[in-house]
Amino acid sequence: MYFSIIIPVYNRPDEMEELLHSLLLQDYSGPFEVVVVEDGSMQDSSQVINRYSEKLAISYYYKENTGPGDSRNYGMMKAKGSYFIVFDSDCIIPKHYLQVAEQALQQEYVDFFGGPDKALDSFSDVQKAINFSMTSFLTTGGVRGGSESLSKFQPRSFNMGISKDAFLTSGGFGSIHPGEDPDLTIRLWDLGFKSKLIPKAYVFHKRRIDWDKFAIQTMKFGKARPVLNSWHPKHQKLTYFFPTVFLIGFYLSLSLLLIVQDFLFKFYCIYFFFIFIVSSIQNRSISIGFLSIIATWIQFKNYGIGFLKSFIKVSIMNQKPQEAFPDLFFKK
């Protein structure tokens, strides 16, 4: 099996340095190539690529900015491998990754797979708190690798493998972002391809480094979900409404306090207390425990608001997604 590692990048040369260095340290004995696609960056990674050009089988392409999905497709069209592995540029890859991936595919071949994400000790406290909120079983983040079925897993594009056949048959990623990964997954399922989670094929994902960027990101996640529901109605789940219901319930609990009814507010206090305890223990840090409360609130609040706005416009008012939320779509 010949792996082609596809990496879209936009204005992140420093992160590319860390990612390529981690690929250089792989204990995988087989050959693999690295395909880097610069998506119209103002701060390009050419100098970083040059430093690794003799250490890795690496190719580098610069194109106009058309978004991460289209850039991944571009890289896969240029790649030579039979199986593609897609990473985001803000990932660091454990040295066992390629070996684990190959072994898992040899034991049970599937045409696409995904893996979890974790935080390194060197990450900032905010990054660790955001990682907790995005991966914990106590939040909606559990679906990123902890609670989904191993045999029918929705890979995320920061850590995703896909065969050349599946890519060519499906046409790859669409123009929506975020949401391009569940959209591709559903189309692949409908085409008869099988997926799975490879638990040990995890990456260290740096994610957003401040609250404002995280808020914008989670708002877009919320907006994208009703769009995907409108495209793939048979794959809708009631759980997608949970962040919005959670948010409405929280504000309702504050209103009930005015009439001296605190039972619902106590529920939220208990929930956030559990967030604090579990995160503090998991991260061995009380400060990260407090920050995880903030991260979880931002996640629920912004996803919930984004989902509600999108649900009203797309599902009730029947507006075209591209017209209702042009910020979610890249033009090719």
Side-chain angles (χ1 to χ4, degrees), residues 225-233 236 314-315 321:
R225 179 50 65 178
V227 175
L228 298 174
N229 289 345
S230 70
W231 291 349
H232 310 289
Q236 295 185 71
V314 174
S315 303

Side-chain angles (χ1 to χ4, degrees), residues 272-285:
F272 284 115
F273 177 73
F274 272 109
I275 292 287
F276 167 72
I277 293 296
V278 173
S279 179
S280 295
I281 294 173
Q282 180 176 311
N283 291 287
R284 300 177 182 178
S285 169

